[in-house]
Amino acid sequence: MIALAAAALLAALPEGQARYRVELSGEPVGAAELRVACAGARCRLSFGTWLRAPEEAGGAVRVRRLEAEVDREGRLAGAVRRLEDGAPRAASAAPGRVPASAAELALLSAAAARGAAAGPACLPAFDEEGGAHRPRLRRPGAAGRRARARRAGRAGGGARGPGRLPGRGPAAGPG
């Protein structure tokens, strides 16, 4: 009985928040924030970005936010809400699949529950904006994460602890 409870806790989505600084060519251009808050079997996932356009394009800040209700494994269990600059936008929903914004957390949780020797985790995922269904989502190795971080313009060192999601550490930004 204790082993089953421990396995359920390991598979649970971690609660907390992480903020990432977004950089292009070494210059800060915005921030991204991921929050997970759980109560019982459900969690509220919130992902937002604040990106500043170049001065030549007016320097406006574009704000995007996504909120979704997921189960403790990260699978969609309720509505998806998407906002762009405060205005509601169409959002895709695929019940039982993992929203792309929660995919890495869900994969880390699944890998911890299964153990490192079991190999990479695969989960069904979907893109909240475009609705594309990904039949499987594999946890990439460290080299893949570093390459994606470079393409996304992220920088910084990792930080973990109570109330902190796995990530690249704190960063300044709106909010």
Side-chain angles (χ1 to χ4, degrees):
M1 185 66 112
I2 293 174
L4 288 175
L9 284 175
L10 281 175
L13 213 55
E15 288 187 73
Q17 66 183 32
R19 183 172 268 184
Y20 308 87
R21 179 177 57 220
V22 179
E23 295 181 350
L24 288 174
S25 301
E27 293 295 320
V29 295
E33 182 177 68
L34 175 64
R35 292 180 187 216
V36 178
C38 300
R42 299 290 173 105
C43 298
R44 171 60 74 199
L45 169 76
S46 176
F47 179 74
T49 59
W50 302 266
L51 300 174
R52 179 177 34 87
E55 293 289 328
E56 298 82 21
V61 174
R62 180 130 194 221
V63 179
R64 300 171 103 184
R65 178 159 297 285
L66 175 95
E67 295 176 353
E69 185 178 341
V70 297
D71 65 16
R72 295 292 285 192
E73 293 178 345
R75 297 175 192 275
L76 187 65
V80 176
R81 190 178 115 181
R82 191 169 73 108
L83 301 169
E84 285 187 22
D85 297 324
R89 298 286 186 235
S92 296
R97 290 183 173 264
V98 177
S101 53
E104 182 138 1
L105 288 177
L107 288 167
L108 289 169
S109 297
R114 293 173 46 240
C122 296
L123 298 173
F126 74 97
D127 175 19
E128 304 96 322
E129 290 185 28
H133 291 239
R134 309 280 185 233
R136 309 194 98 173
L137 184 63
R138 298 186 186 274
R139 182 173 189 261
R145 281 193 302 278
R146 283 193 299 271
R148 279 196 326 278
R150 280 193 302 275
R151 285 193 302 270
R154 291 187 305 206
R160 297 181 188 197
R164 299 273 315 157
L165 298 174
R168 301 207 179 289

